[in-house]
Amino acid sequence: MNVIRIVPDPRPLIEQSFRLGESPIWDDRRERLFFVDIAAGEIHHLTAEGSSHRMWYAPPPDRPTALGLTTAGRLVVALTRSVVFLDPDTGAWETLAEIDVGLHTTRLNDGKVGPDGAFWVGSMDERPPEERQPIGALFRVTPDGRVEKKLDGLTVANGLAWSPDGTTMWLADSRGPWIDRFDFDPATGEMSNRTRFATLDDAMGRPDGCTCDAAGFYWSAGVTAGRLNRFAPDGRLIEFWELPVAWPTMPCFGGEGLRTLFVTSLARPGVEQPASARLPAGTVITLPAQISGLPPARFPDPRG
């Protein structure tokens, strides 16, 4: 089967570049897109049209790496070594759990709320790429603050997503570079039957952040190739979307009917962008999706 090449015409969501944009998530109650700039230690939110820009700073010297929504309207936030709550209305922070990630060069990375109601977050070796080792792990954090290590042996944990019915889970390692699939029990959070879903390379795009659409197809940001890769549930690469921004980091669905794609990206100072990148590195882009996404799960908040 031939892989379909799609060349969309996205626009910048805002005329601003970010150093390490990541973890976009659409809040359907506020009708706002939240995302982080890990390197700058910032959390941002915008409307689908790019207005009403607000920003929150993580408690220095910490950095936010991933976001989830809670039932009470707060955010659940992965910092480098902890998971906390942020109330966007008051700016108040509250610690939920400290996580032992190991070496001081290791930090938390990609994270999401799962269909089991827990916050799942992986860790990564933050040393230069040529020095990185498989010392990262995948953690599950429950609403009462309990932390369970679910998997180890990861170098850069990434690409967390679940199928529409919650019975399939995906996890990637950007340095693998691979994507694995697990059977998942949304009642207990148990993972089983791990299988290799896809193996990628620099030309196809090392797997960074991801999302799943309403049809159960897995969208992976190919960070080294400037594209989005869309995989069928059986692991076949169906199509790839060439993006006009270098180094895309994570897509998400949002906007009306969850039919808009938002994609964050990173900047690499001193590194020349490929000729195909007509937008500045670090731009957050938006484009029609042609298919709807899934509403994000919400983390049970002690506040209700």
Side-chain angles (χ1 to χ4, degrees):
M1 181 176 179
N2 292 330
V3 179
I4 300 172
R5 172 177 174 259
I6 297 175
V7 184
D9 185 26
R11 65 171 180 85
L13 181 61
I14 183 174
E15 297 295 335
Q16 179 177 340
S17 296
F18 301 92
R19 292 162 61 188
L20 181 47
E22 274 282 10
S23 195
I25 186 168
W26 179 256
D27 185 340
D28 58 338
R29 297 181 186 174
R30 289 185 173 90
E31 296 187 339
R32 297 290 187 273
L33 179 77
F34 284 91
F35 63 94
V36 303
D37 184 337
I38 298 175
E42 299 165 351
I43 298 174
H44 297 260
H45 93 8
L46 292 156
T47 66
E49 294 73 38
S51 62
S52 302
H53 184 197
R54 289 188 63 193
M55 181 177 67
W56 298 261
Y57 287 101
D62 229 325
R63 293 168 287 161
T65 71
L67 303 175
L69 305 175
T70 80
T71 53
R74 294 194 291 180
L75 300 178
V76 55
V77 183
L79 300 178
T80 53
R81 290 173 169 259
S82 62
V83 175
V84 303
F85 293 115
L86 167 64
D87 187 333
D89 296 326
T90 66
W93 298 82
E94 179 184 339
T95 299
L96 173 66
E98 301 286 344
I99 299 182
D100 181 5
V101 297
L103 299 177
H104 71 280
T105 54
T106 306
R107 66 161 172 84
L108 297 177
N109 194 41
D110 183 49
K112 286 182 179 175
V113 179
D116 58 332
F119 186 70
W120 293 71
V121 61
S123 61
M124 63 170 284
D125 186 346
E126 204 174 27
R127 289 175 292 189
E130 64 276 7
E131 299 178 21
R132 290 175 180 169
Q133 299 296 320
I135 55 176
L138 177 66
F139 302 93
R140 179 178 184 262
V141 184
T142 57
D144 60 1
R146 289 183 295 114
V147 178
E148 180 184 5
K149 182 187 287 188
K150 301 294 289 187
L151 193 69
D152 55 17
L154 305 172
T155 304
V156 180
N158 240 319
L160 278 169
W162 286 265
S163 59
D165 65 0
T167 62
T168 297
M169 172 182 169
W170 289 275
L171 172 71
D173 190 323
S174 300
R175 298 305 302 173
W178 47 255
I179 304 166
D180 280 359
R181 179 179 57 209
F182 301 79
D183 290 340
F184 189 81
D185 186 339
T188 64
E190 289 303 312
M191 308 154 52
S192 61
N193 298 326
R194 180 179 184 177
T195 58
R196 185 57 37 94
F197 183 72
T199 301
L200 299 106
D201 55 29
D202 285 342
M204 295 178 66
R206 288 180 179 267
D208 203 310
C210 73
T211 191
C212 184
D213 64 31
F217 285 61
Y218 179 92
W219 298 66
S220 172
V223 64
T224 55
R227 69 192 216 181
L228 294 178
N229 291 311
R230 185 176 183 236
F231 294 91
D234 61 7
R236 289 176 296 125
L237 179 62
I238 299 298
E239 59 193 33
F240 66 91
W241 295 43
E242 291 187 352
L243 302 177
V245 63
W247 312 303
T249 54
M250 187 172 176
C252 88
F253 291 92
E256 185 176 356
L258 298 174
R259 295 184 68 88
T260 298
L261 269 172
F262 301 98
V263 186
T264 51
S265 67
L266 62 87
R268 300 178 67 186
V271 178
E272 185 177 355
Q273 295 187 97
S276 59
R278 60 176 175 81
L279 296 177
T283 299
V284 179
I285 60 173
T286 176
L287 63 155
Q290 303 174 6
I291 189 171
S292 60
L294 300 172
R298 286 186 177 263
F299 189 76
D301 194 315
R303 289 189 178 178

